[in-house]
Amino acid sequence: MTIGENIKQLREKRSLSQRKLAIAISVSNTTINSIENDKTLPSVSLILKLSDFFGCTTDEILKN
């Protein structure tokens, strides 16, 4: 699985829309969409925010 797929899976497990996730971590909907579709990679700081938000390790985001 890609990083984008991992993030999408974590988001969907919590029944969150891309918009709600974007608001929760203070980024744009476009950013979430681009990451989930593997158009861009998240920055280290964003990976840390996602890890804190989802209550998971960075490894769970970076690899499966």
Side-chain angles (χ1 to χ4, degrees), residues 25-64:
I25 61 170
S26 303
V27 297
S28 70
N29 298 358
T30 306
T31 299
I32 299 298
N33 186 275
S34 293
I35 291 168
E36 286 187 0
N37 289 308
D38 298 314
K39 293 179 183 175
T40 60
L41 290 172
S43 66
V44 172
S45 63
L46 186 53
I47 291 169
L48 293 172
K49 279 185 181 182
L50 289 165
S51 173
D52 287 342
F53 179 79
F54 288 124
C56 67
T57 66
T58 55
D59 279 352
E60 289 178 78
I61 293 171
L62 296 173
K63 59 186 178 180
N64 189 352

Side-chain angles (χ1 to χ4, degrees), residues 6-21:
N6 289 339
I7 293 169
K8 183 176 182 178
Q9 185 178 53
L10 287 166
R11 178 180 60 77
E12 288 179 341
K13 280 183 185 177
R14 288 155 182 83
S15 300
L16 293 170
S17 66
Q18 287 183 346
R19 177 171 165 67
K20 286 184 180 180
L21 176 58

